[in-house]
Amino acid sequence: MTEFTRLVRFLAKDGQTYYGDAILPSGVSDISEAQQARIITGDIFGKHEVSDQVADIRLLLSPLAPADIGTLRCLGLNYALHAKESGLPEPQYPVLFYKPSTAVAGPTDPIPVPTIAQEGSGLDYECELVIVIGKRCTNVSEAEALDYVLGYAVGNDMSHRDWQIKRGGGQWSIGKGFDGWAPFGPGIVSTKLIKDPQALRIWTKLNGETVQDGHTSDMIFKAKKMISFLSQGVTLMPGDLIFTGTPSGVGMGRNPPLWLKDGDVVEVGLEQVGTCTNKVDFARVKAKI
């Protein structure tokens, strides 16, 4: 049975939505450049088959369908240089917060900014390695942790610093959990291709200019450690996502701060995976009649 290497979910030119294994041009590793995919049949978390049927990609969607997405766990302050730029000590334990499943978005979807998030300042970007859990696990050891991973993607942990830190009273989910504030993709690369998640360059470009340029080796809590820790007394399920923290270079850490504006284009990228490119879209205030 042939299993996927680069899992995508896409709207095909025939109008149907499929799971597929992305076909990349020679010498290309960015899944966002895929124009075709081999259709996958079966259960992506279990027995599935990469068929010989090839479909043309019209639009790449969130790599997992809403029905296949579980819990979104996110880590804060998980890069040493990011903790330093934030003026905070490195945490002794993983700093955990959650996003609702409605925060998930696709690799090219606009990032909607509701009117409540247009108040004050502090709209920020965070490129992150995303771990996708593939098998149910509880109390897993660090040595076995990566055996439960379906694959890896890149995501943007969109944040509103005022709501996250000041108005939210330190309850990070308030400033990070708006609809569409967890775009990820452009696909999920299997552990057969990415054997070491700590050996990847990760970056953000804002309107074409590089603003974050980091490396997953700078993580304080590596992938094995965080999966093991998060599974202690808690069952991780297929389709659970772990946003693993961001490297230095966020807007909050700059002097003066660099905040996102309406119409800005944010590109987050991860070596061997590719890029998500999303446009910031401020909701318009409807006039009262």
Side-chain angles (χ1 to χ4, degrees):
M1 178 174 292
T2 304
E3 297 181 337
F4 78 85
T5 54
R6 297 178 178 89
L7 177 69
V8 291
R9 192 172 67 92
F10 64 100
L11 175 65
K13 290 186 177 179
D14 65 6
Q16 301 297 310
T17 297
Y18 300 101
Y19 276 114
D21 195 9
I23 300 172
L24 297 183
S26 177
V28 172
S29 61
D30 187 342
I31 295 174
S32 71
E33 296 188 30
Q35 297 182 355
Q36 292 183 317
R38 295 181 178 90
I39 293 175
I40 293 175
T41 58
D43 179 5
I44 58 170
F45 298 112
K47 292 183 178 180
H48 65 269
E49 178 74 23
V50 178
S51 73
D52 293 329
Q53 183 180 355
V54 174
D56 293 326
I57 297 172
R58 178 188 296 177
L59 178 67
L60 287 174
L61 307 172
S62 165
L64 293 180
D68 291 330
I69 292 172
T71 300
L72 274 70
R73 296 173 176 86
C74 308
L75 269 67
L77 295 175
N78 195 35
Y79 280 71
L81 292 175
H82 176 52
K84 183 177 180 180
E85 75 176 351
S86 301
L88 297 169
E90 293 185 13
Q92 291 184 303
Y93 301 95
V95 177
L96 175 65
F97 63 96
Y98 296 84
K99 291 196 179 200
S101 60
T102 53
V104 172
T108 61
D109 291 340
I111 299 171
V113 181
T115 53
I116 189 174
Q118 296 174 32
E119 300 172 2
S121 62
L123 191 62
D124 211 344
Y125 50 83
E126 293 191 4
C127 61
E128 307 207 1
L129 165 72
V130 179
I131 298 171
V132 184
I133 299 298
K135 293 187 290 186
R136 179 182 178 130
C137 62
T138 311
N139 299 327
V140 66
S141 68
E142 289 185 37
E144 298 175 329
L146 298 188
D147 294 340
Y148 295 89
V149 174
L150 180 73
Y152 305 97
V154 66
N156 184 357
D157 173 21
M158 281 288 296
S159 307
H160 191 289
R161 303 304 185 186
D162 273 7
W163 278 110
Q164 175 192 353
I165 299 169
K166 298 177 182 177
R167 300 182 181 188
Q171 301 179 65
W172 290 12
S173 291
I174 295 177
K176 290 172 170 276
F178 296 106
D179 288 354
W181 280 33
F184 87 110
I188 298 170
V189 176
S190 78
T191 56
K192 291 180 293 185
L193 293 187
I194 297 180
K195 299 185 182 299
D196 183 1
Q198 311 309 149
L200 304 171
R201 178 175 169 248
I202 186 169
W203 67 90
T204 298
K205 292 182 180 180
L206 176 58
N207 299 323
E209 179 181 350
T210 300
V211 289
Q212 287 184 284
D213 193 355
H215 199 275
T216 56
S217 61
D218 190 44
M219 283 186 186
I220 299 167
F221 304 102
K222 313 302 186 187
K224 293 179 180 180
K225 177 72 174 181
M226 71 180 76
I227 293 170
S228 176
F229 178 84
L230 293 174
S231 74
Q232 299 307 303
V234 177
T235 301
L236 305 183
M237 297 294 291
D240 283 0
L241 306 179
I242 303 173
F243 278 64
T244 59
T246 195
S248 60
V250 297
M252 178 179 65
R254 295 172 175 268
N255 187 18
L258 177 63
W259 304 132
L260 297 175
K261 307 180 300 299
D262 186 26
D264 280 349
V265 176
V266 185
E267 175 190 308
V268 294
L270 181 66
E271 186 179 1
Q272 295 189 48
V273 174
T275 55
C276 298
T277 303
N278 307 90
K279 186 176 181 179
V280 178
D281 183 20
F282 278 34
R284 301 296 181 261
V285 178
K286 295 182 179 179
K288 295 182 179 180
I289 299 177

